[in-house]
Amino acid sequence: WWKSVFKVGTVHAPLFIEPTGMTKGQIYVPGVHLCRYFVAPGAGKAVPPQSRYFIPDSRLHHGRDNTIMIFDEHGAAPSRARLVYDVDAPALRA
């Protein structure tokens, strides 16, 4: 299990997590199950097609601390994982 705290400002752009360096497991934001992810088997070779996971704006506390918890089945550390805003995400444009 890995846990971190992050803040989001007042921008309401689509936010994604990219679990680079992870294998497979589950993500919780803030304390509520967000999704399962599978980006690589235990050996670490990438598995397409999904490499980023959407965090709904309704789950975030703007201007306050947000907690993200990650469980990786093979114990991979999220040292290369990152949160990314994507204002050009085609499926999320109004």
Side-chain angles (χ1 to χ4, degrees), residues 1 9 11-12 14 24 47-48 53 59 64-65 68 78 86-87 90 94:
W1 286 93
V11 175
H12 291 273
K24 66 179 178 176
V47 175
Y53 298 85
R59 293 267 182 101
R64 300 184 321 191
D65 288 348
I68 185 167
D86 188 351
V87 294

Side-chain angles (χ1 to χ4, degrees), residues 1-6 17 22 25-35 37 66-72 78:
W1 286 93
W2 303 91
K3 180 179 177 179
S4 186
V5 175
F6 65 97
I17 180 167
M22 307 296 290
Q26 300 187 44
I27 300 171
Y28 297 82
V29 176
V32 178
H33 188 258
L34 177 69
C35 67
Y37 67 92
N66 290 275
T67 303
I68 185 167
M69 292 185 354
I70 300 174
F71 170 72
D72 191 89

